[in-house]
Amino acid sequence: MNYGKTMLLLAALTAVFMGVGWLIGGTAGMLIAFLIAVATNFYAFWNSDELALRMHNARPVSPTSAPELYAMVEELSRRADMPTPAIYVIDTDQPNAFATGRSPEKAAVAATRGIIRMLSREELAGVMAHELAHIKNRDTLIMTIAATVAGAVTMLAQFAMFFGGGRERGALGIIGVIAAAILAPIAAMMIQSLISRTREFAADRAGGEICGNPLWLAGALAKISRTPIEMPTAEDNPASAHLFIVNPLAGMRMDRLFSTHPPAERRIAELKAQAASMVRLARTRSGEDPAPWGSSSSRPSPWQ
């Protein structure tokens, strides 16, 4: 799904927000909801990176405190032709990572202590390349705005339950209030999930190109997707789940209609297909029969 369709989904999310305002307060409520949507988007644009990092108690690292991780992200950033983002570590055993920020010049990547310990250097490079792809494609801004608006929709719906009144309040009275309180958060969650799943496939593919071997990321996804370790900060802030490379929430195998991430098996299959395509392209260009991607004789790893 391309950026045009992603923008349509964001527009639909804003429309849901305005629809809630209309159900609660008629035309005036819709106008107020629109103004709130603009304000939340503006706030998310300028503060998305700080909010996400603070939410998960991420701590910054330097070339001195985390030399291998820092050197890896610097090298991948050069390969991606983009500035090196700020680098953070989250002190949790759950293997995961995310990127945030409004632009490549104002961005950060964060890896958990668990993912650094669990993965090989090549697999971790695949994960970091995926996160850099999100930054380069400005997915971090899109998904943060989506999360902010979705959260505002839920907040507005809860406000309706407490303060929505009789038939004189809102376009459809108490029926509109109840509909807004029940249906709006569900619609917002569905749209937010669609946006997130759309961007994950694109970041997987771009990440495979940045690190040079899609199988590194495929191997990482296979490991971390089957490691059920709870992450308290994610459970306390579920609206941030879509930022991570895999769903950090317990009960992640719930109805896939509401999942913020595509199934790991499908992502791995796409990455394997990409690796096979890269092998075919290499054969065509060189006229040789190169070793399979990921084998010891394939392209040397810059992390060794």
Side-chain angles (χ1 to χ4, degrees):
M1 193 179 292
N2 57 30
Y3 271 107
K5 292 182 179 179
T6 301
M7 291 301 107
L8 285 176
L9 288 171
L10 279 173
L13 193 53
T14 302
V16 169
F17 196 22
M18 295 173 65
V20 173
W22 181 78
L23 288 171
I24 296 172
T27 304
M30 182 171 66
L31 178 59
I32 292 172
F34 175 74
L35 294 175
I36 294 174
V38 171
T40 53
N41 285 342
F42 181 81
Y43 182 78
F45 179 86
W46 289 104
N47 299 281
S48 60
D49 53 337
E50 295 177 5
L51 285 172
L53 294 167
R54 189 164 56 245
M55 204 177 284
H56 296 285
N57 303 320
R59 55 180 174 85
V61 296
S62 66
T64 303
S65 60
E68 291 189 12
L69 178 63
Y70 206 95
M72 177 186 294
V73 175
E74 277 191 324
E75 172 63 20
L76 288 168
S77 298
R78 283 194 291 269
R79 292 165 70 97
D81 191 26
M82 60 180 285
T84 302
I87 304 169
Y88 288 76
V89 169
I90 303 172
D91 290 315
T92 178
D93 290 330
Q94 184 186 99
N96 226 319
F98 73 85
T100 185
R102 63 179 179 268
S103 70
E105 292 73 31
K106 178 65 173 175
V109 292
T112 66
R113 182 181 59 222
I115 202 171
I116 294 171
R117 290 176 176 174
M118 173 180 290
L119 302 184
S120 69
R121 290 183 178 181
E122 288 76 15
E123 290 166 342
L124 184 59
V127 169
M128 292 294 100
H130 169 98
E131 300 307 332
L132 291 177
H134 273 313
I135 294 170
K136 188 171 184 178
N137 294 337
R138 299 181 187 267
D139 294 338
T140 48
L141 174 61
I142 291 171
M143 292 192 293
T144 300
I145 290 176
T148 303
V149 177
V153 168
T154 302
M155 178 188 68
L156 195 61
Q158 292 173 342
F159 179 86
M161 284 298 291
F162 284 106
F163 298 102
R167 192 166 292 275
E168 75 277 6
R169 297 173 68 94
L172 300 178
I174 191 61
I175 295 176
V177 169
I178 295 173
I182 297 174
L183 300 179
I186 295 175
M189 189 185 305
M190 290 174 61
I191 295 170
Q192 182 190 359
S193 298
L194 283 170
I195 293 171
S196 181
R197 293 198 298 267
T198 294
R199 305 318 310 159
E200 286 303 312
F201 282 119
D204 283 349
R205 184 165 190 84
E209 293 171 354
I210 290 171
C211 73
N213 190 336
L215 294 184
W216 292 352
L217 178 55
L221 288 173
K223 284 185 180 179
I224 62 182
S225 63
R226 59 172 182 257
T227 307
I229 299 175
E230 185 171 305
M231 185 176 182
T233 56
E235 299 297 333
D236 292 340
N237 302 280
S240 68
H242 68 292
L243 295 175
F244 288 84
I245 191 167
V246 297
N247 194 332
L249 302 176
M252 64 180 70
R253 297 192 183 278
M254 292 188 304
D255 189 352
R256 287 183 175 177
L257 181 65
F258 299 101
S259 174
T260 55
H261 294 71
E265 312 83 55
R266 193 173 158 201
R267 295 171 68 183
I268 291 169
E270 293 281 343
L271 287 163
K272 288 181 177 179
Q274 181 186 4
S277 177
M278 292 172 75
V279 169
R280 288 193 297 270
L281 181 60
R283 286 173 177 168
T284 300
R285 288 178 173 175
S286 66
E288 300 174 356
D289 187 14
W293 291 99
S295 71
S296 59
S297 57
S298 67
R299 182 179 301 183
S301 165
W303 331 121
Q304 295 176 341

